[in-house]
Amino acid sequence: MLVEESKRLGSMIFWSIAIAVTAIACAALLYAGRGRMVNVSAAETADANSHFRLVLAGIDADLAAGKIGAEEAVGAKGELAREMLRAKAEVVPRAAHEMGQGTLFAGLGLVAALALGLYVFLGSPNLPAQPLAGRADVAAQSISLDTAIARIEAQLAANPNDLRGWTVLAPALLEVGRFSDAADAYGRIIDLSEPTAQLLTDRAEALLLAADGEGSEEAMGLLRTAADMDPAHTQSRLYLGAELTRMGQYEDAARFWQAAIDLAQGDEPWLQAARQGLAVAENDGVDTTAQDQAEMIRGMVGSLSTRLYADGGTVEEWSQLVRSYIVLGDLPNAQIAYDGAVSAYPAAFDRGELDSMALAAGLKLNGAEQ
């Protein structure tokens, strides 16, 4: 009862302050907008007064010259005074704004009503004041991922059918390495929504990571279902190709590797790995890519060396030849190529980078002569 009374008193105080502030603002606007005299009519008043002074001076001059008598002068001055009064009564004060007072009052009333009405609809006068650090939007910027996960899990414990909560939780669990919990979370998402190829693959990925390289029959079943469900789903086919290769089922693995490659546009970051996986599967698990690359390098080196020994070349080309032999582990030919470069460029300052590379690899300057 005491709490309710305190809340009621706090609400009354808030609304009293809000109404007072609104009234002060409206009074300020009323003062700024009400009609009041300005200097625009001063020139006209000055002109009228000047005219009347001239007429009065003329009456006095006529009286002094004897053109009119004293009684006539008094009558003329009385008529002049009446004209001055009529002229002043006809002066209309000009307002600072052309807006009528009725329009001004109506506008101020509308502003006050809108301000208070919008706050009643959108505001929360009964909420206590919060320091900046305690506000939700500020706190969310400094919260850790583990703390956020704990809060979401607490909310889901109270409301286990909250699909949005599970959707947020599952990838977060995967991020922090809680793979089994992530798999369960994806399973909950599938139960609460329509299963899709991506959701099935996400759960399979979590299961495979939880298995730590040992494989998962459930994950393989989910991946096959995902691939059958969506003929254009690449990720499920990549996982199937990799897992089937690991299991030694190379024919099926090659089929899924090729299917994924066929779906590529040509610039995907996984494309090179998929081609290498296909090559391994087609060679019954033997990785020939390193051997193929070595053979290709040897062919390029042979062509370059033939040209340099026959026709010569730049110091950069000689450096490339020496470096290639070093990469291939063929130090005898690297020494021969280095000797050829020194013979072609005897000045040491022409071979600064080449000498550093050759000596670091164990080659010797003029090694053929030693």
Side-chain angles (χ1 to χ4, degrees), residues 304-327:
L304 178 61
S305 63
T306 299
R307 180 171 62 80
L308 288 178
Y309 290 133
D311 303 324
T314 64
V315 68
E316 288 79 12
E317 290 175 321
W318 281 106
S319 298
Q320 181 181 353
L321 180 61
V322 174
R323 183 182 299 107
S324 298
Y325 279 128
I326 293 173
V327 170

Side-chain angles (χ1 to χ4, degrees), residues 165-181:
W166 290 110
T167 302
V168 173
L169 180 62
L173 291 172
L174 204 66
E175 180 72 19
V176 298
R178 292 172 55 182
F179 304 129
S180 296
D181 293 336

Side-chain angles (χ1 to χ4, degrees), residues 18 55 60 73 76 100 162 173 187 228 230 234 256-257 260-261 277 292 306 311:
V55 174
D60 291 335
D162 182 6
L173 291 172
D228 292 339
D230 186 356
T234 305
F256 283 109
W257 282 124
I261 293 171
D292 294 341
T306 299
D311 303 324

